[in-house]
Amino acid sequence: MDRCEGTRMDEAARRHGALFLTPLGGRPFVPQRRAVTHDHVVLLFYTAGAVEIELQQLLRLGGGDVLLLPAGEPHRLVRAEGVEGWALGFCPSCFMRTELAELLAPFERVRMGAAAALQLATERRPHMQRLFEELARESSRGGEPAHALVERSLFALILAELARATIPAAVAASRPPLVAAALNYIERHCFAPISLRDVAAAIGRSPAHVTTALRQATGRTAQAWIIAGRLAEARRRLLATDESVEDIAGRVGYADASHFIRLFRREHAMPPAAWRALHRR
C-alpha cells in the first residue's frame, strides 16, 4: 500500500461506517519516508505484484499474501511493483461486541507481536478473490434493504478464511506491551463513558505513562483513540439505522448530544444530520 493507497483508505474511512473497501494499484507508487498509522484496521489481500513493507520487520509480499494491520500499527511502504488486490478497512470497536469478535483474534495476535503476513493456500485464493469482488459489488448497493446483512456476511467469510490460514511464527513485538493492552482495552470499551484514567487503571499504569507510550507508538493520545472508535460507530449507525442523533450520541458514549455533535462537526466539517443526508443519498 503506497501513500496514495493509504490516503485513499483514510478518506474512505471518513465517508463510511464500519466497513470500507478499495482496490489496490492503479496509482503511482510513492515510497514512504516515515512510518504511518491508521485509526482503523486494514486487511490487505495481494493478488499480483511485489511489495516490500516495514512492519515489525521488512516483509516481502506478493500474489496470494495477506497483510494484517491492526489499528495504530506503525508501517512504512518501501517498494511496490505491479500491485493488484484489495484493501479492506474496518472499525474494530464496531465488531468487538458482536458474533464476529472471535474472528478478530488474528489482528490482536499481530498487535501482541505475531507475524503480520500470511499466505493463503493456492486452492483458497480464487475463493478469497470472489469474496472481495462480491463485497465490492455489494458496497455499490448501499441503499438496498438487505445491504448491511449481506455486507456483514461477506466480511465474516473473509475473516473466517484468515482464521483458518496458518499464521507464521511469532516475532518480536514492535511496541511496548502496554500500548497493545491500552489499544485493546479502548477498542472493547470505547462506547462506555471511559477516559484516560480508566484506560490507565485497566492496565496498571499511570495516565502520564500511558499518554507518553501511546503518543510515541501511534502518534495519538488515548482520548483521540476513544473518539476515533466512537465516531466510527456513529458513522455506521448514521448510515445503517434511522436512530436519532441524540440516541446515537448516547449509544457511542456521549450523554451530552451537543458535545457529540461538536466533536463530529470538528472531524467531518458538518453535523451528523447533514453527514447522514449527504452519504445516504
Side-chain angles (χ1 to χ4, degrees), residues 4-242:
C4 296
E5 301 291 357
T7 300
R8 188 158 41 168
M9 287 297 288
D10 287 337
E11 292 172 350
R14 294 167 60 86
R15 296 193 307 270
H16 294 77
L19 291 172
F20 39 97
L21 180 68
T22 63
L24 293 174
R27 295 192 179 188
F29 163 64
V30 180
Q32 293 172 321
R33 296 183 179 181
R34 295 179 295 180
V36 298
T37 64
H38 302 292
D39 59 15
H40 48 270
V41 174
V42 179
L43 186 165
L44 296 158
F45 173 46
Y46 296 101
T47 57
V51 174
E52 291 184 1
I53 186 168
E54 288 183 354
L55 175 70
Q56 304 171 352
Q57 59 183 344
L58 182 63
L59 301 174
R60 294 180 174 85
L61 307 170
D65 289 332
V66 177
L67 185 65
L68 311 181
L69 290 175
E73 189 72 26
H75 58 283
R76 182 176 76 89
L77 185 69
V78 178
R79 183 178 69 91
E81 296 179 3
V83 171
E84 295 179 11
W86 299 94
L88 173 62
F90 64 92
C91 155
S93 300
C94 299
F95 298 101
M96 281 296 182
R97 295 186 294 178
T98 74
E99 73 282 1
L100 301 185
E102 186 175 344
L103 295 176
L104 302 181
F107 297 93
E108 294 195 9
R109 288 197 292 269
V110 172
R111 180 175 279 165
M112 297 303 295
L118 60 91
Q119 188 171 66
L120 294 181
T122 303
E123 65 273 15
R124 302 305 297 173
R125 296 174 193 175
H127 176 59
M128 182 70 100
Q129 174 70 8
R130 287 191 294 270
L131 289 174
F132 273 98
E133 290 172 352
E134 187 58 36
L135 182 57
R137 284 190 288 269
E138 191 60 39
S139 297
S140 66
R141 304 183 187 122
E144 296 184 2
H147 163 71
L149 179 59
V150 175
E151 186 179 66
R152 188 187 188 97
S153 299
L154 291 166
F155 178 50
L157 289 172
I158 290 171
L159 292 180
E161 286 296 313
L162 298 182
R164 291 169 179 167
T166 300
I167 305 294
V171 297
S174 62
R175 58 172 51 166
L178 76 92
V179 172
L183 292 175
N184 285 343
Y185 180 84
I186 290 170
E187 287 175 356
R188 282 174 166 76
H189 300 90
C190 65
F191 304 150
I194 63 170
S195 66
L196 168 62
R197 289 188 177 275
D198 298 303
V199 177
I203 64 175
R205 300 299 179 94
S206 71
H209 193 162
V210 172
T211 295
T212 299
L214 276 175
R215 192 184 292 277
Q216 288 179 346
T218 72
R220 296 176 175 88
T221 65
Q223 189 60 28
W225 280 108
I226 292 169
I227 291 172
R230 290 174 173 177
L231 292 185
E233 173 66 1
R235 291 192 298 269
R236 185 191 73 79
R237 290 182 176 275
L238 287 167
L239 291 176
T241 77
D242 292 320

